[in-house]
Amino acid sequence: MITLPVAEALAYTEALSLEGVEETTAFIWKSSETTAALGISQKAEIELNMKNIQANNIPVVRRQSGGGAVILGSGTLCFEVIAPITNTTADLNIKESFQEYTAPLVNLLNSRGIPAQMSGISDISVSINDESKKVAGCAQLRKKRALVVHASILVDIDKTLLENYLQFPSDVPDYRNNRTHTDFCLNLSELAPNLTTEIIELELLAEFTRLGWKIIKDKPIYNTLATQLLEKKYSQNSWNIDRQRPRIF
């Protein structure tokens, strides 16, 4: 399994999206440390408990994509899908894009008898006792040459981390119904104790293969663009906290 800092994963993914890909490409990874990841338009002081973040030296990284703040770490599993812009992908709206490129996860869970579906705009949820709970959060961005959809899956994360480092979101889907992070979010291991990050990775890879997607299985080798994005953008508080766009090109 690819394990790397969130900043590196985001830099690599953005570089692929800027350079473009010839075919739909995917990779799965885990964060090497507990990290808070913000959506592109979010304010850290509103979405995060910065007092706890700073007290415990938790890295904060801002995505280029939308969506809400999440906590990534050993109990989460992430995947990235980078699709070339074609007539087909260009015609997909935001919701259709999420459905198209998160289908491998939804299919995987349903094949195991876990009733998963897209909820809100970009969540994957399961229904428990007539109540929907979030098991994955997704986000996307569109560049001139590529569309990116990525997801963070709650496998066995310590949910006290969510309460400690995330504020109640400023923007929530209707189905949340004002629930706390602990009540709203659900680990897949709570539904099936044998569902580990390793098993989910293997089953996702099988789904990607079935769809004919190109799979990156080894730790990324950073080219000049990815290195520049990492050093001048994703490693800088001016971007991660203050959202000041760096000059890279």
Side-chain angles (χ1 to χ4, degrees):
M1 181 178 295
I2 300 172
T3 301
L4 69 173
V6 175
E8 291 189 20
L10 295 180
Y12 181 66
T13 299
E14 187 177 356
L16 284 176
S17 72
L18 288 168
E19 293 171 334
V21 292
E22 295 183 356
E23 57 187 311
T24 300
T25 301
F27 73 96
I28 302 171
W29 60 282
K30 287 179 67 173
S31 174
S32 57
E33 60 183 331
T34 300
T35 301
L38 289 165
I40 187 171
S41 62
Q42 293 189 307
K43 295 182 178 180
E45 65 272 18
I46 292 177
E47 308 298 337
L48 304 177
N49 186 326
M50 290 303 295
K51 181 179 179 180
N52 290 346
I53 291 276
Q54 292 167 350
N56 293 292
N57 296 315
I58 301 299
V60 176
V61 183
R62 183 180 299 277
R63 301 187 305 271
Q64 182 67 25
S65 58
V70 296
I71 300 298
L72 305 177
S74 62
T76 57
L77 185 68
C78 302
F79 69 82
E80 314 284 328
V81 181
I82 306 98
I85 295 296
T86 63
N87 290 338
T88 301
T89 53
D91 287 341
L92 295 174
N93 63 34
I94 291 175
K95 193 161 188 176
E96 290 169 340
S97 300
F98 280 125
Q99 291 173 333
E100 177 80 10
Y101 296 109
T102 63
L105 177 59
V106 174
N107 293 340
L108 181 165
L109 295 176
N110 278 291
S111 71
R112 284 179 158 270
I114 298 173
Q117 61 183 2
M118 293 295 302
S119 293
I121 295 176
S122 58
D123 288 348
I124 296 175
S125 70
V126 298
S127 296
I128 305 294
N129 298 325
D130 297 323
E131 187 175 55
S132 293
K133 294 199 172 193
K134 177 180 176 179
V135 296
C138 310
Q140 70 173 276
L141 69 148
R142 295 182 184 227
K143 297 290 188 181
K144 183 178 181 180
R145 297 180 178 178
L147 164 70
V148 176
V149 173
H150 43 204
S152 59
I153 308 165
L154 300 167
V155 182
D156 57 357
I157 192 170
D158 178 357
K159 288 192 282 187
T160 62
L161 297 176
L162 310 183
E163 302 293 352
N164 288 342
Y165 299 132
L166 298 178
Q167 303 278 20
F168 191 85
S170 58
D171 186 22
V172 297
D174 291 340
Y175 83 100
R176 180 161 185 150
N177 295 326
N178 209 40
R179 286 175 285 176
T180 65
H181 297 298
T182 300
D183 290 336
F184 176 57
C185 297
L186 183 71
N187 278 314
L188 291 176
S189 60
E190 297 178 63
L191 297 171
N194 64 329
L195 263 185
T196 63
T197 52
E198 290 77 14
I199 289 175
I200 295 172
E201 179 192 29
L202 288 174
E203 296 190 5
L204 275 176
L205 289 173
E207 283 290 316
F208 295 164
T209 299
R210 183 182 65 80
L211 291 167
W213 294 355
K214 178 181 177 180
I215 301 170
I216 299 171
K217 294 183 179 180
D218 299 317
K219 187 172 181 178
I221 298 174
Y222 303 104
N223 60 14
T224 300
L225 177 56
T227 300
Q228 289 177 333
L229 285 164
L230 178 61
E231 294 177 351
K232 297 183 179 182
K233 184 175 183 177
Y234 292 108
S235 296
Q236 300 298 321
N237 282 339
S238 56
W239 165 254
N240 293 323
I241 304 296
D242 302 323
R243 200 194 166 205
Q244 296 177 9
R245 292 182 179 273
R247 290 190 177 183
I248 297 173
F249 310 105

